[in-house]
Coordinates of all heavy atoms in Angstrom, one line a residue:
W1306 N 1.0 27.2 -10.1 CA 0.3 26.4 -9.1 C 0.7 24.8 -9.2 O 1.1 24.3 -8.3 CB -1.1 26.5 -9.1 CG -1.8 25.8 -7.9 CD1 -2.1 26.5 -6.7 CD2 -2.2 24.5 -7.7 NE1 -2.7 25.4 -5.7 CE2 -2.8 24.3 -6.5 CE3 -2.2 23.3 -8.6 CZ2 -3.1 23.1 -6.0 CZ3 -2.6 22.1 -8.3 CH2 -3.2 21.9 -6.9
C1320 N 2.8 13.3 -11.4 CA 3.4 14.0 -12.5 C 2.6 15.2 -12.9 O 1.5 15.4 -12.4 CB 3.4 13.1 -13.8 SG 1.9 12.6 -14.5
D1359 N -11.8 35.5 2.2 CA -11.0 35.4 3.4 C -10.2 34.2 3.5 O -10.2 33.3 2.6 CB -12.1 35.5 4.6 CG -13.1 34.3 4.6 OD1 -12.8 33.3 4.0 OD2 -14.2 34.4 5.0
I1382 N -3.0 9.9 -16.1 CA -1.7 9.0 -16.1 C -2.0 7.7 -16.9 O -1.2 6.8 -17.2 CB -1.3 8.5 -14.8 CG1 -2.4 7.9 -14.0 CG2 -0.7 9.7 -14.0 CD1 -2.0 7.3 -12.5
L1407 N 14.8 -10.6 -2.2 CA 14.8 -11.4 -3.3 C 14.4 -10.7 -4.6 O 14.5 -11.3 -5.6 CB 14.1 -12.7 -3.1 CG 14.7 -13.5 -2.0 CD1 13.8 -14.8 -1.8 CD2 16.1 -13.9 -2.2
K1428 N -0.8 2.6 -2.5 CA 0.1 1.4 -2.2 C 1.0 1.4 -3.3 O 0.9 2.0 -4.3 CB -0.7 0.1 -2.1 CG -1.8 0.1 -1.1 CD -1.4 0.3 0.4 CE -2.5 0.4 1.3 NZ -2.2 0.8 2.7
G1450 N -5.5 6.7 -2.6 CA -5.2 5.7 -3.7 C -6.0 6.0 -4.9 O -5.6 5.6 -6.1
A1532 N 1.9 -34.5 37.4 CA 1.6 -34.7 38.8 C 2.8 -35.3 39.6 O 3.4 -36.1 39.1 CB 0.4 -35.7 39.0

Side-chain angles (χ1 to χ4, degrees):
W1306 189 92
C1320 69
D1359 56 30
I1382 59 177
L1407 298 180
K1428 305 299 177 185

